[in-house]
Amino acid sequence: MSGMGSKREAMQKSECHRGVQLRNRVTDNCDQKTSSSAQIKHRTTVQQRRSSSSTSSPESARKLHPRPSDKLNPKTINPFGEQSRAPSAFAAIYSKGGVPCRLVHGSVKHRLQWECPPEELPFDPLLITLAEGLRETKHPYTFVSKEGFRELLLVTGALEKAVPLLPRLIPVLKAALVHLDDEVFERGLNALVQLSVIVGPSLNDHLKHLLTSLSRRLRDKKFKEPITTALQKLEQHGGNGSLTIIKSKIPTYCSIYC
């Protein structure tokens, strides 16, 4: 009898031990689940705080609710920001001092300050570099290129300096005239008229390379008037020979002398 009692006591102790182990495992699992749940809640809270802080930052507020003055200011290069792409050829030359003028901000309008009188500057390659800058879309490059091109053509002796550059200058102007950006096209069109005023009939041999892009833009109603005005200027300064060339590419054009 004593032997059987000992066996029962041993079995009871074994079952009791297994019960304690089972309870410990259950407790451990609950603790792990509780810890995991707490970690998830902590991560969610941190993410919400980050999202809230980023949304409430001044930069985010400006993006969501742009200021009225943002519409008045042109797109500007941020010298301290990361650029999404490599700078253009004109931007690289300008930043290295290869364009001998700088933008001066005025209270009413901007102007250029030349390092030396423009009359003393060689047109090759400066005039071509400025023409390449007409394709820029960011400030200050847009202003420097268009105003620099205009002012350089106004110097004494511009005719003799510009005519030899026409074979290299025309492809650059054509690139601006076929550009998808409307403002780039307008700058190219204005530059073409400014060039025709200076070089006159010397431009006629190159007109055919430019008129195709003008003909395409004529389909857009908003460009019909400025292109027509430009064609009239080209005829006026190019003489009789220019009319024949213009009519060959744009048959609907009416001469200013009709």
Side-chain angles (χ1 to χ4, degrees), residues 149-173:
F149 188 88
R150 185 188 71 85
E151 293 186 12
L152 201 60
L153 287 176
L154 294 178
V155 304
T156 303
L159 171 62
E160 293 77 11
K161 295 179 180 180
V163 169
L165 299 179
L166 288 178
R168 295 160 55 195
L169 194 57
I170 295 305
V172 179
L173 289 179

Side-chain angles (χ1 to χ4, degrees), residues 65-176:
H65 305 287
R67 298 168 299 183
S69 59
D70 291 341
K71 298 180 180 180
L72 301 176
N73 296 325
K75 292 177 287 187
T76 306
I77 289 292
N78 177 10
F80 303 105
E82 294 183 2
Q83 302 300 322
S84 58
R85 59 186 177 87
S88 64
F90 180 82
I93 293 173
Y94 181 80
S95 63
K96 295 177 181 178
V99 180
C101 62
R102 284 294 177 268
L103 172 65
V104 177
H105 293 275
S107 57
V108 179
K109 64 179 182 178
H110 305 323
R111 65 180 180 86
L112 289 184
Q113 180 177 346
W114 295 88
E115 296 177 2
C116 63
E119 294 83 359
E120 300 177 6
L121 296 171
F123 274 35
D124 187 6
L126 181 56
L127 188 65
I128 297 173
T129 300
L130 292 168
E132 290 174 342
L134 297 172
R135 301 198 302 275
E136 294 291 335
T137 57
K138 293 185 181 297
H139 187 77
Y141 310 134
T142 51
F143 181 84
V144 172
S145 59
K146 72 173 183 179
E147 186 64 18
F149 188 88
R150 185 188 71 85
E151 293 186 12
L152 201 60
L153 287 176
L154 294 178
V155 304
T156 303
L159 171 62
E160 293 77 11
K161 295 179 180 180
V163 169
L165 299 179
L166 288 178
R168 295 160 55 195
L169 194 57
I170 295 305
V172 179
L173 289 179
K174 182 179 179 180

